[in-house]
Amino acid sequence: ARSVQALEEQTREHSALLGALATAGITAMAYNHELSRQTAQLARLVEQLRQIATTVPKSQHTAMLTAIDGIQGWLDRAKGLRQLLQPVMDEESRKDRRQYKACTVLQDVATNLEPLSRGTPIDTNGVPTTLQLPSATIAGWWAVFQNLFINSFNALLQREDGAVISVDGGTTDSHHWLRVQDNGVGVGNDLDEANRLWAPFARNLTLPPEIVGLGLGGTGLGLTIVRMILDEVHARAEFTRPSDGFMTAVTIRWSER
């Protein structure tokens, strides 16, 4: 009876979470569409301003070009941020379930997260080129690794230099694994306590308001989303002991099916 009650409570929590995430996803798609229209219009205005800049006096020419370059920089960053929604916007990415090479998916996610990385490198050289992820949608795998990488970015906020995120993986008998590590603030030595962070709304790190305002973590839902997606593909993620030089490690394990 207690097990059934606990399962019902977990189901209710997941249902509420899925409803909130679905609403956020619909809003994000609408925002992405409107942002696309606005950036296209702004790009045309930038070209018009560059033409006008050729007619202004030399004393104002440099200042005007500097302002135009600033607008162009904002446009480039906005286009980069829109790429974060790329898998969600494509219907095939949301529905087509198949196996993907781990190194390819990781490299693509790392590239798309560059606007949010603050220059932090993501080293995926430790992932075997032959390692394949369990069959799932590419949108699902992007959500898993995007959440893990953003958690690492936030853990590295206080580190002024030498910040690094490393991903490695391998195969042991019939089991495969991937591990994401960073040298940020860490989750502590008590792994049992750290693994409570997989529960909805559990947090171990207080983020600055400007980071939370950008939607870059801080809600306590990122790891819950990761575990929900992995549960569907019969994979398991947990905090594990990091390698020397790192403070936090999350390991994903799955077996051949």
Side-chain angles (χ1 to χ4, degrees):
R2 285 194 295 269
S3 297
V4 171
Q5 186 177 4
L7 182 60
E8 289 179 345
E9 180 64 26
Q10 185 182 44
T11 302
R12 283 195 294 270
E13 290 179 355
H14 281 186
S15 298
L17 175 59
L18 287 173
L21 293 177
T23 303
I26 293 171
T27 304
M29 293 173 71
Y31 171 79
N32 183 69
H33 178 71
E34 180 61 22
L35 182 60
S36 177
R37 293 179 60 254
Q38 297 295 336
T39 52
Q41 182 178 357
L42 194 54
R44 291 192 293 269
L45 292 175
V46 166
E47 291 304 315
Q48 293 177 14
L49 288 173
R50 291 194 187 279
Q51 295 176 4
I52 295 173
T54 61
T55 66
V56 301
K58 290 185 177 180
S59 59
Q60 300 174 349
H61 183 75
T62 300
M64 189 170 183
L65 284 180
T66 300
I68 294 172
D69 289 341
I71 298 174
Q72 184 64 56
W74 181 89
L75 272 173
D76 293 340
R77 179 174 172 81
K79 290 177 181 177
L81 290 172
R82 286 188 62 225
Q83 292 301 309
L84 297 175
L85 295 173
Q86 177 184 342
V88 180
M89 301 300 296
D90 182 36
E91 184 175 1
E92 183 178 347
S93 298
R94 299 195 304 268
K95 294 184 177 181
D96 185 21
R97 295 176 64 90
R98 56 190 177 92
Q99 284 189 297
Y100 296 91
K101 284 190 174 182
C103 58
T104 301
V105 175
L106 287 162
Q107 290 164 5
D108 288 345
V109 174
T111 298
N112 271 31
L113 285 177
E114 285 180 359
L116 307 179
S117 68
R118 296 179 290 272
T120 301
I122 299 177
D123 180 11
T124 61
N125 291 325
V127 179
T129 57
T130 57
L131 183 62
Q132 288 191 310
L133 297 167
S135 180
T137 65
I138 190 64
W141 283 119
W142 274 55
V144 168
F145 295 121
Q146 183 173 306
N147 275 295
L148 293 179
F149 288 156
I150 287 178
N151 276 2
S152 291
F153 292 154
N154 292 332
L156 293 162
L157 277 175
Q158 306 302 322
R159 195 177 182 97
E160 297 181 358
D161 56 4
V164 65
I165 299 171
S166 173
V167 189
D168 59 356
T171 300
T172 304
D173 297 328
S174 61
H175 289 77
H176 309 288
W177 59 276
L178 277 173
R179 179 174 58 177
V180 179
Q181 301 186 101
D182 66 67
N183 57 351
V185 295
V187 294
N189 295 323
D190 188 343
L191 294 182
D192 290 336
E193 179 66 16
N195 279 310
R196 72 174 180 81
L197 297 174
W198 298 100
F201 308 111
R203 288 181 290 179
N204 194 38
L205 184 65
T206 302
L207 299 176
E210 60 271 20
I211 298 297
V212 176
L214 289 173
L216 305 181
T219 62
L221 293 177
L223 292 180
T224 304
I225 294 169
V226 169
R227 179 157 281 185
M228 286 177 63
I229 294 172
L230 293 179
D231 282 346
E232 291 299 316
V233 298
H234 306 286
R236 180 73 176 176
E238 60 185 351
F239 287 100
T240 55
R241 296 291 177 195
S243 301
D244 291 342
F246 294 96
M247 296 298 294
T248 301
V250 172
T251 301
I252 301 172
R253 294 187 176 91
W254 67 96
S255 59
E256 293 286 0
R257 293 182 59 84

Short mmCIF file of all heavy atoms in Angstrom, two decimals, residues 28-85:
data_model
loop_
_atom_site.label_atom_id
_atom_site.label_comp_id
_atom_site.label_asym_id
_atom_site.label_seq_id
_atom_site.Cartn_x
_atom_site.Cartn_y
_atom_site.Cartn_z
N ALA A 28 7.84 28.95 -25.63
CA ALA A 28 9.16 29.11 -26.25
C ALA A 28 9.07 29.05 -27.77
O ALA A 28 9.76 29.81 -28.47
CB ALA A 28 10.11 28.04 -25.73
N MET A 29 8.24 28.16 -28.30
CA MET A 29 8.08 28.06 -29.75
C MET A 29 7.46 29.33 -30.33
O MET A 29 7.88 29.81 -31.39
CB MET A 29 7.25 26.83 -30.09
CG MET A 29 7.94 25.52 -29.76
SD MET A 29 6.89 24.05 -29.97
CE MET A 29 6.78 23.99 -31.75
N ALA A 30 6.46 29.87 -29.64
CA ALA A 30 5.86 31.13 -30.10
C ALA A 30 6.88 32.27 -30.03
O ALA A 30 6.96 33.10 -30.94
CB ALA A 30 4.63 31.45 -29.24
N TYR A 31 7.65 32.29 -28.95
CA TYR A 31 8.68 33.32 -28.80
C TYR A 31 9.73 33.19 -29.91
O TYR A 31 10.18 34.19 -30.48
CB TYR A 31 9.34 33.16 -27.43
CG TYR A 31 10.57 34.02 -27.23
CD1 TYR A 31 10.45 35.38 -26.92
CD2 TYR A 31 11.84 33.49 -27.37
CE1 TYR A 31 11.57 36.17 -26.75
CE2 TYR A 31 12.97 34.28 -27.20
CZ TYR A 31 12.83 35.61 -26.89
OH TYR A 31 13.94 36.39 -26.72
N ASN A 32 10.11 31.95 -30.22
CA ASN A 32 11.11 31.72 -31.25
C ASN A 32 10.62 32.22 -32.62
O ASN A 32 11.38 32.82 -33.39
CB ASN A 32 11.45 30.23 -31.33
CG ASN A 32 12.54 29.93 -32.32
OD1 ASN A 32 13.70 30.29 -32.13
ND2 ASN A 32 12.18 29.28 -33.41
N HIS A 33 9.36 31.97 -32.91
CA HIS A 33 8.79 32.42 -34.18
C HIS A 33 8.79 33.94 -34.27
O HIS A 33 9.18 34.52 -35.29
CB HIS A 33 7.36 31.89 -34.32
CG HIS A 33 6.67 32.34 -35.58
ND1 HIS A 33 7.02 31.87 -36.82
CD2 HIS A 33 5.67 33.24 -35.77
CE1 HIS A 33 6.25 32.45 -37.74
NE2 HIS A 33 5.43 33.28 -37.12
N GLU A 34 8.37 34.60 -33.19
CA GLU A 34 8.33 36.07 -33.19
C GLU A 34 9.74 36.64 -33.24
O GLU A 34 10.00 37.64 -33.93
CB GLU A 34 7.59 36.56 -31.95
CG GLU A 34 7.50 38.08 -31.84
CD GLU A 34 6.74 38.71 -33.00
OE1 GLU A 34 5.94 38.01 -33.66
OE2 GLU A 34 6.97 39.92 -33.25
N LEU A 35 10.67 36.01 -32.52
CA LEU A 35 12.05 36.48 -32.54
C LEU A 35 12.64 36.37 -33.94
O LEU A 35 13.42 37.24 -34.37
CB LEU A 35 12.89 35.66 -31.55
CG LEU A 35 14.36 36.06 -31.42
CD1 LEU A 35 14.50 37.50 -30.94
CD2 LEU A 35 15.09 35.11 -30.47
N SER A 36 12.27 35.32 -34.66
CA SER A 36 12.76 35.16 -36.03
C SER A 36 12.30 36.32 -36.90
O SER A 36 13.08 36.87 -37.70
CB SER A 36 12.25 33.83 -36.60
OG SER A 36 12.65 33.69 -37.94
N ARG A 37 11.03 36.71 -36.77
CA ARG A 37 10.51 37.84 -37.55
C ARG A 37 11.22 39.13 -37.18
O ARG A 37 11.60 39.93 -38.06
CB ARG A 37 9.00 37.99 -37.30
CG ARG A 37 8.18 36.85 -37.86
CD ARG A 37 6.69 37.04 -37.57
NE ARG A 37 6.17 38.26 -38.15
CZ ARG A 37 5.86 39.37 -37.48
NH1 ARG A 37 6.01 39.42 -36.18
NH2 ARG A 37 5.38 40.42 -38.10
N GLN A 38 11.41 39.36 -35.89
CA GLN A 38 12.02 40.61 -35.44
C GLN A 38 13.49 40.71 -35.85
O GLN A 38 13.95 41.78 -36.25
CB GLN A 38 11.89 40.72 -33.90
CG GLN A 38 10.47 40.80 -33.39
CD GLN A 38 9.75 42.06 -33.84
OE1 GLN A 38 10.36 43.07 -34.16
NE2 GLN A 38 8.43 41.99 -33.89
N THR A 39 14.22 39.60 -35.76
CA THR A 39 15.64 39.65 -36.13
C THR A 39 15.81 39.85 -37.63
O THR A 39 16.75 40.51 -38.08
CB THR A 39 16.36 38.36 -35.70
OG1 THR A 39 15.65 37.22 -36.19
CG2 THR A 39 16.47 38.28 -34.19
N ALA A 40 14.91 39.26 -38.43
CA ALA A 40 14.97 39.47 -39.89
C ALA A 40 14.75 40.93 -40.22
O ALA A 40 15.45 41.51 -41.07
CB ALA A 40 13.93 38.59 -40.58
N GLN A 41 13.78 41.55 -39.56
CA GLN A 41 13.51 42.97 -39.81
C GLN A 41 14.69 43.83 -39.34
O GLN A 41 15.10 44.78 -40.01
CB GLN A 41 12.24 43.39 -39.08
CG GLN A 41 11.85 44.85 -39.33
CD GLN A 41 10.54 45.22 -38.65
OE1 GLN A 41 9.89 44.38 -38.03
NE2 GLN A 41 10.15 46.48 -38.76
N LEU A 42 15.26 43.48 -38.20
CA LEU A 42 16.39 44.24 -37.68
C LEU A 42 17.61 44.10 -38.59
O LEU A 42 18.38 45.05 -38.77
CB LEU A 42 16.72 43.76 -36.27
CG LEU A 42 17.65 44.65 -35.43
CD1 LEU A 42 17.13 46.08 -35.35
CD2 LEU A 42 17.83 44.08 -34.04
N ALA A 43 17.78 42.91 -39.18
CA ALA A 43 18.91 42.72 -40.11
C ALA A 43 18.77 43.63 -41.32
O ALA A 43 19.78 44.18 -41.81
CB ALA A 43 18.96 41.26 -40.54
N ARG A 44 17.56 43.81 -41.80
CA ARG A 44 17.35 44.73 -42.94
C ARG A 44 17.66 46.17 -42.53
O ARG A 44 18.25 46.94 -43.31
CB ARG A 44 15.90 44.61 -43.44
CG ARG A 44 15.60 43.28 -44.13
CD ARG A 44 14.27 43.33 -44.85
NE ARG A 44 13.17 43.44 -43.91
CZ ARG A 44 12.53 42.40 -43.41
NH1 ARG A 44 12.90 41.16 -43.74
NH2 ARG A 44 11.52 42.55 -42.57
N LEU A 45 17.28 46.54 -41.33
CA LEU A 45 17.57 47.89 -40.85
C LEU A 45 19.08 48.12 -40.71
O LEU A 45 19.57 49.23 -40.98
CB LEU A 45 16.87 48.12 -39.50
CG LEU A 45 15.35 48.19 -39.54
CD1 LEU A 45 14.77 48.31 -38.13
CD2 LEU A 45 14.90 49.39 -40.39
N VAL A 46 19.81 47.08 -40.28
CA VAL A 46 21.26 47.20 -40.16
C VAL A 46 21.89 47.50 -41.52
O VAL A 46 22.78 48.34 -41.64
CB VAL A 46 21.86 45.92 -39.54
CG1 VAL A 46 23.38 45.89 -39.72
CG2 VAL A 46 21.51 45.83 -38.07
N GLU A 47 21.42 46.80 -42.55
CA GLU A 47 21.94 47.05 -43.90
C GLU A 47 21.62 48.46 -44.36
O GLU A 47 22.46 49.13 -45.00
CB GLU A 47 21.37 46.03 -44.88
CG GLU A 47 21.87 44.62 -44.65
CD GLU A 47 23.40 44.56 -44.70
OE1 GLU A 47 23.99 45.17 -45.62
OE2 GLU A 47 24.00 43.93 -43.81
N GLN A 48 20.44 48.96 -44.04
CA GLN A 48 20.08 50.33 -44.40
C GLN A 48 20.98 51.32 -43.68
O GLN A 48 21.44 52.32 -44.26
CB GLN A 48 18.62 50.59 -44.07
CG GLN A 48 17.64 49.79 -44.92
CD GLN A 48 16.19 50.02 -44.50
OE1 GLN A 48 15.88 50.97 -43.76
NE2 GLN A 48 15.30 49.16 -44.97
N LEU A 49 21.25 51.05 -42.41
CA LEU A 49 22.12 51.95 -41.63
C LEU A 49 23.55 51.97 -42.18
O LEU A 49 24.20 53.01 -42.19
CB LEU A 49 22.12 51.53 -40.17
CG LEU A 49 20.83 51.81 -39.38
CD1 LEU A 49 20.90 51.19 -37.99
CD2 LEU A 49 20.61 53.32 -39.26
N ARG A 50 24.03 50.81 -42.65
CA ARG A 50 25.37 50.78 -43.22
C ARG A 50 25.45 51.63 -44.49
O ARG A 50 26.47 52.28 -44.75
CB ARG A 50 25.78 49.33 -43.53
CG ARG A 50 26.01 48.49 -42.29
CD ARG A 50 26.73 47.18 -42.61
NE ARG A 50 26.81 46.31 -41.45
CZ ARG A 50 27.73 46.43 -40.49
NH1 ARG A 50 28.64 47.42 -40.55
NH2 ARG A 50 27.74 45.60 -39.47
N GLN A 51 24.38 51.61 -45.26
CA GLN A 51 24.35 52.45 -46.45
C GLN A 51 24.31 53.93 -46.08
O GLN A 51 24.99 54.77 -46.69
CB GLN A 51 23.16 52.08 -47.32
CG GLN A 51 23.23 50.67 -47.90
CD GLN A 51 21.98 50.31 -48.69
OE1 GLN A 51 21.08 51.14 -48.88
NE2 GLN A 51 21.90 49.06 -49.13
N ILE A 52 23.51 54.25 -45.06
CA ILE A 52 23.41 55.65 -44.61
C ILE A 52 24.75 56.13 -44.05
O ILE A 52 25.13 57.29 -44.21
CB ILE A 52 22.29 55.79 -43.56
CG1 ILE A 52 20.93 55.49 -44.20
CG2 ILE A 52 22.31 57.17 -42.92
CD1 ILE A 52 19.78 55.44 -43.20
N ALA A 53 25.48 55.19 -43.39
CA ALA A 53 26.76 55.57 -42.77
C ALA A 53 27.76 56.08 -43.79
O ALA A 53 28.66 56.86 -43.45
CB ALA A 53 27.34 54.36 -42.03
N THR A 54 27.63 55.64 -45.04
CA THR A 54 28.58 56.09 -46.07
C THR A 54 28.35 57.54 -46.46
O THR A 54 29.19 58.15 -47.12
CB THR A 54 28.45 55.21 -47.33
OG1 THR A 54 27.11 55.31 -47.84
CG2 THR A 54 28.74 53.76 -46.99
N THR A 55 27.20 58.10 -46.06
CA THR A 55 26.87 59.48 -46.45
C THR A 55 27.09 60.49 -45.33
O THR A 55 26.99 61.69 -45.58
CB THR A 55 25.41 59.55 -46.91
OG1 THR A 55 24.55 59.27 -45.79
CG2 THR A 55 25.14 58.55 -48.02
N VAL A 56 27.36 60.03 -44.12
CA VAL A 56 27.50 60.97 -42.99
C VAL A 56 28.92 61.54 -42.97
O VAL A 56 29.85 60.96 -43.55
CB VAL A 56 27.20 60.26 -41.66
CG1 VAL A 56 25.80 59.69 -41.65
CG2 VAL A 56 28.21 59.16 -41.39
N PRO A 57 29.11 62.68 -42.31
CA PRO A 57 30.46 63.27 -42.21
C PRO A 57 31.45 62.31 -41.54
O PRO A 57 31.06 61.48 -40.73
CB PRO A 57 30.22 64.52 -41.35
CG PRO A 57 28.78 64.84 -41.53
CD PRO A 57 28.08 63.52 -41.70
N LYS A 58 32.70 62.42 -41.88
CA LYS A 58 33.73 61.53 -41.35
C LYS A 58 33.80 61.57 -39.82
O LYS A 58 34.13 60.59 -39.18
CB LYS A 58 35.08 61.88 -41.94
CG LYS A 58 35.21 61.54 -43.42
CD LYS A 58 36.63 61.80 -43.91
CE LYS A 58 36.77 61.40 -45.38
NZ LYS A 58 38.15 61.65 -45.88
N SER A 59 33.49 62.74 -39.25
CA SER A 59 33.56 62.86 -37.78
C SER A 59 32.55 61.96 -37.08
O SER A 59 32.72 61.60 -35.93
CB SER A 59 33.34 64.32 -37.38
OG SER A 59 32.06 64.76 -37.84
N GLN A 60 31.45 61.62 -37.78
CA GLN A 60 30.42 60.77 -37.19
C GLN A 60 30.44 59.34 -37.75
O GLN A 60 29.76 58.46 -37.22
CB GLN A 60 29.04 61.39 -37.46
CG GLN A 60 28.88 62.79 -36.88
CD GLN A 60 27.56 63.43 -37.27
OE1 GLN A 60 26.87 62.92 -38.13
NE2 GLN A 60 27.23 64.55 -36.65
N HIS A 61 31.23 59.14 -38.80
CA HIS A 61 31.22 57.85 -39.49
C HIS A 61 31.65 56.71 -38.57
O HIS A 61 30.98 55.67 -38.48
CB HIS A 61 32.13 57.92 -40.71
CG HIS A 61 32.13 56.67 -41.53
ND1 HIS A 61 31.08 56.32 -42.35
CD2 HIS A 61 33.05 55.67 -41.64
CE1 HIS A 61 31.35 55.17 -42.93
NE2 HIS A 61 32.54 54.75 -42.53
N THR A 62 32.76 56.91 -37.86
CA THR A 62 33.29 55.83 -36.99
C THR A 62 32.32 55.50 -35.87
O THR A 62 32.07 54.32 -35.58
CB THR A 62 34.64 56.25 -36.40
OG1 THR A 62 35.56 56.51 -37.46
CG2 THR A 62 35.20 55.14 -35.53
N ALA A 63 31.76 56.53 -35.24
CA ALA A 63 30.82 56.30 -34.14
C ALA A 63 29.58 55.56 -34.62
O ALA A 63 29.07 54.66 -33.93
CB ALA A 63 30.43 57.63 -33.50
N MET A 64 29.12 55.89 -35.82
CA MET A 64 27.93 55.24 -36.34
C MET A 64 28.22 53.78 -36.67
O MET A 64 27.40 52.89 -36.37
CB MET A 64 27.45 55.98 -37.59
CG MET A 64 26.09 55.50 -38.08
SD MET A 64 25.42 56.56 -39.38
CE MET A 64 23.82 55.79 -39.65
N LEU A 65 29.38 53.50 -37.24
CA LEU A 65 29.73 52.11 -37.55
C LEU A 65 29.88 51.28 -36.28
O LEU A 65 29.52 50.10 -36.26
CB LEU A 65 31.03 52.07 -38.36
CG LEU A 65 30.93 52.46 -39.84
CD1 LEU A 65 32.30 52.36 -40.50
CD2 LEU A 65 29.92 51.59 -40.58
N THR A 66 30.40 51.90 -35.22
CA THR A 66 30.53 51.19 -33.94
C THR A 66 29.16 50.79 -33.40
O THR A 66 28.96 49.66 -32.92
CB THR A 66 31.26 52.07 -32.91
OG1 THR A 66 32.57 52.39 -33.41
CG2 THR A 66 31.39 51.34 -31.58
N ALA A 67 28.20 51.72 -33.51
CA ALA A 67 26.84 51.41 -33.05
C ALA A 67 26.21 50.32 -33.90
O ALA A 67 25.55 49.41 -33.38
CB ALA A 67 25.99 52.67 -33.10
N ILE A 68 26.44 50.39 -35.21
CA ILE A 68 25.89 49.36 -36.10
C ILE A 68 26.49 48.00 -35.80
O ILE A 68 25.79 46.98 -35.77
CB ILE A 68 26.14 49.75 -37.58
CG1 ILE A 68 25.35 51.01 -37.93
CG2 ILE A 68 25.75 48.60 -38.51
CD1 ILE A 68 25.68 51.58 -39.29
N ASP A 69 27.79 47.96 -35.56
CA ASP A 69 28.45 46.69 -35.23
C ASP A 69 27.91 46.11 -33.93
O ASP A 69 27.80 44.89 -33.77
CB ASP A 69 29.96 46.89 -35.14
CG ASP A 69 30.61 47.12 -36.50
OD1 ASP A 69 29.98 46.79 -37.53
OD2 ASP A 69 31.73 47.66 -36.53
N GLY A 70 27.56 47.00 -33.00
CA GLY A 70 26.97 46.54 -31.74
C GLY A 70 25.62 45.87 -31.98
O GLY A 70 25.33 44.83 -31.37
N ILE A 71 24.82 46.46 -32.86
CA ILE A 71 23.52 45.86 -33.18
C ILE A 71 23.73 44.53 -33.89
O ILE A 71 23.03 43.55 -33.62
CB ILE A 71 22.70 46.82 -34.06
CG1 ILE A 71 22.41 48.11 -33.31
CG2 ILE A 71 21.38 46.15 -34.48
CD1 ILE A 71 21.73 49.17 -34.15
N GLN A 72 24.72 44.48 -34.80
CA GLN A 72 24.99 43.23 -35.52
C GLN A 72 25.45 42.14 -34.55
O GLN A 72 25.08 40.97 -34.71
CB GLN A 72 26.08 43.48 -36.57
CG GLN A 72 26.38 42.26 -37.44
CD GLN A 72 25.19 41.85 -38.28
OE1 GLN A 72 24.65 42.65 -39.04
NE2 GLN A 72 24.75 40.60 -38.14
N GLY A 73 26.23 42.51 -33.55
CA GLY A 73 26.66 41.54 -32.55
C GLY A 73 25.48 40.97 -31.78
O GLY A 73 25.43 39.76 -31.49
N TRP A 74 24.52 41.84 -31.46
CA TRP A 74 23.31 41.36 -30.77
C TRP A 74 22.54 40.40 -31.67
O TRP A 74 22.04 39.37 -31.20
CB TRP A 74 22.42 42.54 -30.40
CG TRP A 74 21.18 42.13 -29.67
CD1 TRP A 74 21.00 41.98 -28.33
CD2 TRP A 74 19.92 41.77 -30.27
NE1 TRP A 74 19.72 41.57 -28.06
CE2 TRP A 74 19.04 41.43 -29.22
CE3 TRP A 74 19.47 41.72 -31.59
CZ2 TRP A 74 17.73 41.04 -29.46
CZ3 TRP A 74 18.16 41.32 -31.82
CH2 TRP A 74 17.31 40.99 -30.76
N LEU A 75 22.45 40.73 -32.97
CA LEU A 75 21.76 39.86 -33.90
C LEU A 75 22.41 38.49 -33.98
O LEU A 75 21.73 37.45 -33.97
CB LEU A 75 21.75 40.50 -35.30
CG LEU A 75 20.59 41.44 -35.63
CD1 LEU A 75 20.84 42.11 -36.98
CD2 LEU A 75 19.27 40.70 -35.64
N ASP A 76 23.73 38.47 -34.06
CA ASP A 76 24.44 37.19 -34.14
C ASP A 76 24.21 36.36 -32.89
O ASP A 76 24.03 35.13 -32.97
CB ASP A 76 25.94 37.45 -34.33
CG ASP A 76 26.26 38.09 -35.68
OD1 ASP A 76 25.41 37.99 -36.59
OD2 ASP A 76 27.34 38.69 -35.81
N ARG A 77 24.20 37.00 -31.74
CA ARG A 77 23.96 36.27 -30.49
C ARG A 77 22.53 35.73 -30.44
O ARG A 77 22.29 34.59 -30.01
CB ARG A 77 24.22 37.18 -29.29
CG ARG A 77 23.96 36.49 -27.94
CD ARG A 77 24.38 37.39 -26.80
NE ARG A 77 23.96 36.84 -25.52
CZ ARG A 77 24.62 35.87 -24.86
NH1 ARG A 77 25.71 35.37 -25.39
NH2 ARG A 77 24.18 35.42 -23.71
N ALA A 78 21.58 36.54 -30.89
CA ALA A 78 20.18 36.10 -30.91
C ALA A 78 20.00 34.89 -31.81
O ALA A 78 19.27 33.96 -31.48
CB ALA A 78 19.27 37.24 -31.36
N LYS A 79 20.68 34.89 -32.96
CA LYS A 79 20.59 33.74 -33.86
C LYS A 79 21.18 32.49 -33.20
O LYS A 79 20.67 31.39 -33.36
CB LYS A 79 21.32 34.04 -35.16
CG LYS A 79 20.63 35.09 -36.03
CD LYS A 79 21.45 35.40 -37.28
CE LYS A 79 20.77 36.47 -38.13
NZ LYS A 79 21.61 36.82 -39.31
N GLY A 80 22.28 32.68 -32.46
CA GLY A 80 22.88 31.55 -31.76
C GLY A 80 21.96 30.99 -30.69
O GLY A 80 21.84 29.78 -30.53
N LEU A 81 21.28 31.88 -29.97
CA LEU A 81 20.36 31.43 -28.92
C LEU A 81 19.16 30.70 -29.51
O LEU A 81 18.64 29.77 -28.91
CB LEU A 81 19.90 32.63 -28.09
CG LEU A 81 20.98 33.27 -27.19
CD1 LEU A 81 20.45 34.55 -26.57
CD2 LEU A 81 21.43 32.30 -26.12
N ARG A 82 18.72 31.11 -30.69
CA ARG A 82 17.60 30.43 -31.33
C ARG A 82 17.94 28.99 -31.65
O ARG A 82 17.06 28.13 -31.71
CB ARG A 82 17.19 31.17 -32.60
CG ARG A 82 16.44 32.48 -32.38
CD ARG A 82 15.92 33.02 -33.68
NE ARG A 82 14.98 32.08 -34.28
CZ ARG A 82 14.99 31.74 -35.58
NH1 ARG A 82 15.91 32.22 -36.38
NH2 ARG A 82 14.08 30.90 -36.03
N GLN A 83 19.21 28.70 -31.87
CA GLN A 83 19.61 27.33 -32.19
C GLN A 83 19.36 26.37 -31.03
O GLN A 83 19.28 25.15 -31.23
CB GLN A 83 21.10 27.30 -32.57
CG GLN A 83 21.42 28.00 -33.89
CD GLN A 83 20.68 27.40 -35.06
OE1 GLN A 83 20.70 26.18 -35.28
NE2 GLN A 83 20.02 28.24 -35.84
N LEU A 84 19.24 26.92 -29.81
CA LEU A 84 18.96 26.06 -28.66
C LEU A 84 17.61 25.35 -28.80
O LEU A 84 17.40 24.27 -28.24
CB LEU A 84 18.97 26.89 -27.37
CG LEU A 84 20.30 27.55 -27.00
CD1 LEU A 84 20.12 28.44 -25.78
CD2 LEU A 84 21.36 26.51 -26.74
N LEU A 85 16.70 25.96 -29.54
CA LEU A 85 15.36 25.39 -29.72
C LEU A 85 15.26 24.56 -31.00
O LEU A 85 14.18 24.07 -31.32
CB LEU A 85 14.32 26.50 -29.76
CG LEU A 85 14.13 27.30 -28.46
CD1 LEU A 85 13.19 28.47 -28.69
CD2 LEU A 85 13.61 26.41 -27.36
#
